[in-house]
Amino acid sequence: MNVWIAIGLTAAGCYLAKYAGLLVPAGVLERPLVRRMATLLPVALLAALTAQQTFGDGQHLVLDARAAGLAAAAFALVLRAPFLVVVGAAVAVTAGVRALG
């Protein structure tokens, strides 16, 4: 029961945060610094999340099959492959490395 209360409170908090964003005046959103932050912040957050999920294991840094999959995805991105090919390359390389070792 406590989990559902936490989920409900989290959902309400997310909704309120989103609603608060709608109340920001348009003049504030048009400032160059705010526009630049809105452009770069999601990229930085996604990169940090990817690094944490790839190289983190609890309180330790690890270098395992996930790193090989990430390298394969990066290589596919350099080649300007479509998104599904990037994901497929990462999955295939990660599975292959795990199967080998």
Side-chain angles (χ1 to χ4, degrees):
M1 186 65 180
N2 289 337
V3 173
W4 288 109
I5 292 171
I7 290 172
L9 290 174
T10 302
C14 289
Y15 180 78
L16 289 174
K18 188 170 184 164
Y19 186 72
L22 295 174
L23 298 176
V24 175
V28 173
L29 298 176
E30 295 297 325
R31 294 179 183 167
L33 177 64
V34 174
R35 293 177 67 117
R36 186 168 169 84
M37 284 181 56
T39 301
L40 297 177
L41 194 59
V43 175
L45 289 173
L46 187 58
L49 181 62
T50 301
Q52 195 274 333
Q53 290 295 316
T54 302
F55 301 111
D57 184 24
Q59 297 293 322
H60 305 286
L61 291 175
V62 294
L63 190 62
D64 57 9
R66 295 176 294 178
L70 182 63
F75 183 71
L77 285 173
V78 168
L79 297 177
R80 297 187 181 269
F83 179 71
L84 289 178
V85 173
V86 171
V87 173
V91 168
V93 169
T94 301
V97 170
R98 284 184 176 166
L100 292 175

